[in-house]
Amino acid sequence: MPKITFVPYRQEEITVEAEIGSTVMETAVRNGIPGIEAECGGACACATCHVYVEDGWYEKVGAPQPMEEDMLDFAWEVKPNSRLSCQMKVTAELDGLVVHVPERQA
Amino acid sequence: MSERISTDVVIIGAGPVGLFAVFELGLLDLKCHLIDILDKPGGQCAELYPEKPIYDIPAYPVIGAQELVDKLQEQIKPFGPIFHYGQQVEKVEKLDDGSFLVGTDAGTEFAAKVVVIAAGGGSFQPKRPPVPGIEGYEGTSVFYSVRKMDAFRDQSIVIVGGGDSALDWTLNLQPIAKRVTLVHRRDDFRGAPHSVDQMRALVAEGKVDLVIGQIAGLEGEGADLSGVVIKKTDGSTVTIPATRMMPFFGLTMKLGPIAQWGLNLTENLIAVDTEKFETSEPGIFAIGDINSYPGKLKLILSGFHEAALMAQAAKRIVDPTKRLVFQYTTSSTSLQKKLGVN
């Protein structure tokens, strides 16, 4: 299974196994990663599963679709490497992915 | 103050569970008024994910969330529920005769024999951007909605966001404001194309300022705002002089005034029994995502079940002397008459 590393804000990083086909948000929630709230449960409707994709990974992960880009308007401190983790599907290519959790989910 | 509305049941929340409660209560001849803070029925189904499929509604291998709401509306039509939208229930008080006074922020008052809280994740409220110190400016300089246009007259207003609310208020307030600055994180707006065009025209005429960036801080004295610090895409910051700010960062769900009604709560959910789904206050019930009991699952399905059992208990409160005979909609002529199918 691919491994994903979450770096919670000012805390030790956590590496977990992720199921192919699930989302990065589901992987975070299943493993109790602090700072991923996912209020709407993955409907791309709340922007509380916002993460920053580590340098070098963003191209592999891909840019957000228009709906996610719109929802990112509701996130806090959006950066060029911002993504909503509920819209990122785990694939074999993402083995080793590192994402950073922002200080706040607004 | 309008006249008090008398009814058997007030249902707080018009989401799927609140809607289905009308059905179960209606079969027992109880009349319902529903109150919702949104301007439409359906709650989260309609507001958060209308286009999304739901796979665990019995007999529907898949049903769209909005479709579910529409079908529930159709199902409860025979019972003539009355909806009160765009209002938040502020108070629920027990009256001397054992009924309840329910009052909303719009001044609507109800006298109800039974109150059913079907408020899901709480009421939808504008999201507060986590700018340090923003709370101190709220209500004086920072607003999430416009109650009185006059509060914005001749003011320097910063509006933040890229959707219809941000665009609409930019267009509406521009004629009366001293200056309007629209701030958005990207030069792409998700609002109605017509509004975007109008906004762009005002920017081109020099009547509205458009700044691409994100809020980084607020400046001011006490509750009086004097400037909004914006971090631009290139990392530089700019301070826009402002006496008013309106941030539009979408909606979030908050328990809200429910916490003040004296009901027993468990981690921000309303504790209920599993026989009647009644709260710690007899006559007030809580069904759906808002309640808590051992083994609770936050499923629409569970809320429907809770509504059915609650209705039986509600009936006993409204008509204590009437003997309740259990009936099936398939065979009971009297139930079919109520449904208008016989």
Side-chain angles (χ1 to χ4, degrees):
Chain A
M1 274 202 272
K3 286 192 165 57
I4 297 179
T5 299
F6 293 91
V7 189
Y9 186 74
R10 288 190 181 160
Q11 287 181 47
E12 293 264 306
E13 59 179 51
I14 303 163
T15 301
V16 298
E17 290 198 325
E19 209 171 293
I20 290 177
S22 69
T23 66
V24 173
M25 178 279 279
E26 288 169 324
T27 308
V29 169
R30 223 173 272 153
N31 290 282
I33 304 297
I36 302 285
E37 294 169 12
E39 210 176 74
C40 79
C44 196
C46 73
T48 61
C49 66
H50 175 207
V51 294
Y52 303 123
V53 178
E54 171 112 326
D55 288 350
W57 279 100
Y58 190 78
E59 292 68 28
K60 254 182 212 166
V61 168
Q65 295 290 309
M67 181 174 80
E68 179 186 343
E69 189 70 65
D70 284 353
M71 197 43 62
L72 275 168
D73 287 348
F74 297 152
W76 185 242
E77 289 204 300
V78 178
K79 298 178 186 173
N81 59 339
S82 284
R83 286 292 311 263
L84 295 181
S85 57
C86 73
Q87 299 303 304
M88 296 162 68
K89 275 249 159 66
V90 177
T91 58
E93 290 72 51
L94 292 190
D95 185 27
L97 171 70
V98 181
V99 296
H100 297 258
V101 182
E103 183 181 359
R104 278 179 287 239
Q105 290 289 356
Chain B
M1 183 68 66
S2 53
E3 209 174 306
R4 204 175 278 181
I5 300 166
S6 275
T7 180
D8 293 325
V9 183
V10 160
I11 300 173
I12 302 168
V17 173
L19 294 176
F20 191 66
V22 172
F23 183 85
E24 291 294 336
L25 292 160
L27 287 180
L28 301 172
D29 302 313
L30 302 185
K31 293 279 170 232
C32 303
H33 282 252
L34 296 95
I35 305 166
D36 202 289
I37 195 160
L38 296 176
D39 57 3
K40 56 181 177 289
Q44 292 181 47
C45 284
E47 180 66 28
L48 289 185
Y49 52 89
E51 307 297 328
K52 296 269 170 177
I54 305 174
Y55 298 101
D56 60 354
I57 303 298
Y60 281 99
V62 58
I63 185 168
Q66 184 60 50
E67 195 187 347
L68 176 73
V69 174
D70 295 343
K71 289 203 178 288
L72 284 164
Q73 282 278 68
E74 188 187 329
Q75 193 172 22
I76 65 176
K77 212 172 171 198
F79 304 111
I82 298 165
F83 292 90
H84 305 265
Y85 295 121
Q87 302 185 35
Q88 182 173 38
V89 175
E90 281 185 331
K91 62 174 179 184
V92 175
E93 290 166 12
K94 194 155 195 158
L95 298 170
D96 290 339
D97 64 357
S99 66
F100 297 94
L101 168 67
V102 177
T104 76
D105 59 355
T108 316
E109 284 199 343
F110 302 84
K113 291 168 190 145
V114 166
V115 174
V116 177
I117 305 171
S123 54
F124 282 96
Q125 305 280 344
K127 210 188 263 183
R128 166 192 284 160
V131 195
I134 190 168
E135 296 93 328
Y137 295 107
E138 286 172 357
T140 309
S141 309
V142 172
F143 295 89
Y144 300 94
S145 61
V146 176
R147 294 248 157 162
K148 283 201 199 102
M149 293 273 280
D150 251 1
F152 294 85
R153 191 175 294 279
D154 301 324
Q155 302 290 331
S156 301
I157 310 166
V158 167
I159 294 175
V160 190
D164 283 316
S165 304
L167 290 166
D168 288 350
W169 287 116
T170 297
L171 302 176
N172 288 335
L173 293 174
Q174 183 274 328
I176 64 161
K178 186 173 165 197
R179 193 76 203 160
V180 171
T181 306
L182 178 62
V183 175
H184 186 40
R185 76 172 178 96
R186 55 186 175 130
D187 199 7
D188 204 354
F189 291 80
R190 45 173 210 287
H194 177 66
S195 309
V196 177
D197 292 346
Q198 279 183 289
M199 178 274 293
R200 296 257 187 225
L202 288 171
V203 172
E205 286 170 44
K207 289 179 176 167
V208 162
D209 293 319
L210 173 62
V211 175
I212 303 304
Q214 300 178 64
I215 322 176
L218 300 174
E219 290 176 0
E221 285 245 340
D224 296 318
L225 188 69
S226 62
V228 178
V229 184
I230 301 298
K231 193 174 172 189
K232 293 193 174 180
T233 320
D234 62 9
S236 66
T237 57
V238 54
T239 302
I240 302 166
T243 50
R244 295 283 182 274
M245 181 174 81
M246 300 195 73
F248 293 106
F249 280 79
L251 301 174
T252 186
M253 287 171 285
K254 290 262 160 61
L255 187 59
I258 292 175
Q260 271 92 57
W261 300 344
L263 305 174
N264 283 354
L265 300 179
T266 319
E267 288 176 19
N268 261 352
L269 297 165
I270 303 172
V272 292
D273 65 64
T274 51
E275 182 198 345
K276 305 179 296 238
F277 301 94
E278 196 167 36
T279 68
S280 56
E281 175 68 41
I284 302 183
F285 298 82
I287 56 175
D289 285 0
I290 195 100
N291 74 13
S292 169
Y293 53 84
K296 167 74 182 180
L297 285 179
K298 287 191 183 185
L299 295 177
I300 293 173
L301 165 74
S302 309
F304 289 168
H305 160 80
E306 293 159 18
L309 269 62
M310 170 280 294
Q312 299 287 318
K315 176 69 177 176
R316 286 188 191 98
I317 292 172
V318 177
D319 283 324
T321 54
K322 180 131 183 173
R323 198 169 69 92
L324 262 180
V325 182
F326 179 71
Q327 302 177 87
Y328 292 104
T329 53
T330 312
S331 50
S332 160
T333 50
S334 79
L335 291 187
Q336 288 171 359
K337 206 169 161 193
K338 291 173 198 179
L339 290 167
V341 292
N342 192 341

